[in-house]
Amino acid sequence: MKKVILGLSALCMVAFTSCKEDAASKIKSENIAVAAERDANAGDFPVISFDKTDHDFGTIENGTPVETTFKYTNTGNSMLVVSNIKSTCGCTVPSNWTKEVAPGETGEFAVKFNGKGNGNKVTKSVTMTTNTEKGTEIVKISAFVEKDPNAPAKAAAPAGKATVNPLSTTNAAAAPRKSSTQPGHEGHNHD
């Protein structure tokens, strides 16, 4: 048994040694030159420069769609590829983007925003997935969205009177507490 294992071990060593020699002889010098050039250019990422990274629509009416265009230039030395553009929510829709931009060329994409709010400032981010060194680029849009005139108004408390929410645990001191008087239920609160 020992002789069989020893014989198989010797056979494996011969096979591995011969494979190593064959692999070394199969390397072509032109492939080495191509690989060296590729490795030298590996750190040469495209660079994206925007005409603006933030766009403020100002004050808009609630439910009024608005649109802007972001332009970007490839200031690097290799092809810029924009593989995806997405926003943080469905009310902001990026579309029609230039997917490939050669060095020195310009691309663009549109952003539509359907402004809904309650009399407040709204800011949304749009993320581009690119082949730049960072891998993603972010631009932002913002607007002050006027309050919807058709929205139901909240009832205001009369001046000088505090309101008590009977379901709230924070108003427990203000509301009278009920206790059970049944035998065996003493001390149970029934709010």
Side-chain angles (χ1 to χ4, degrees):
M1 182 71 167
K2 288 182 181 179
K3 290 182 180 181
V4 172
I5 292 174
L6 193 56
L8 286 175
S9 297
L11 182 62
C12 288
M13 287 178 59
V14 169
F16 287 133
T17 305
S18 65
C19 288
K20 183 178 178 183
E21 291 171 9
D22 289 339
S25 66
K26 293 179 182 178
I27 296 175
K28 295 181 181 178
S29 59
E30 65 261 10
N31 290 344
I32 294 173
V34 170
E37 183 180 344
R38 181 197 65 220
D39 291 344
N41 293 330
D44 197 12
F45 293 100
V47 178
I48 191 167
S49 299
F50 291 95
D51 65 337
K52 59 185 174 186
T53 56
D54 295 296
H55 181 81
D56 189 351
F57 289 107
T59 301
I60 62 172
E61 290 182 32
N62 192 327
T64 302
V66 290
E67 185 176 338
T68 189
T69 300
F70 286 92
K71 293 183 180 183
Y72 48 95
T73 302
N74 180 359
T75 57
N77 294 322
S78 59
M79 180 68 75
L80 170 67
V81 177
V82 181
S83 58
N84 193 19
I85 301 179
K86 63 182 178 179
S87 67
T88 52
C89 78
C91 63
T92 307
V93 181
S95 62
N96 300 326
W97 71 84
T98 309
K99 296 185 191 240
E100 292 184 356
V101 181
E105 298 295 317
T106 300
E108 66 182 24
F109 66 95
V111 176
K112 294 179 183 174
F113 174 61
N114 189 3
K116 297 207 185 245
N118 196 17
N120 55 354
K121 181 88 169 182
V122 177
T123 301
K124 302 293 178 182
S125 296
V126 177
T127 303
M128 301 173 69
T129 304
T130 65
N131 64 333
T132 59
E133 188 169 9
K134 291 192 313 185
T136 58
E137 305 292 333
I138 297 175
V139 296
K140 294 182 179 184
I141 60 167
S142 60
F144 181 84
V145 182
E146 293 178 341
K147 187 174 181 175
D148 185 357
N150 298 323
K154 292 181 181 178
K161 292 188 179 182
T163 59
V164 177
N165 180 353
L167 300 176
S168 174
T169 57
T170 58
N171 294 327
R177 297 185 68 86
K178 300 176 191 172
S179 301
S180 176
T181 56
Q182 295 181 1
H185 290 257
E186 294 86 5
H188 286 305
N189 294 328
H190 295 275
D191 292 346

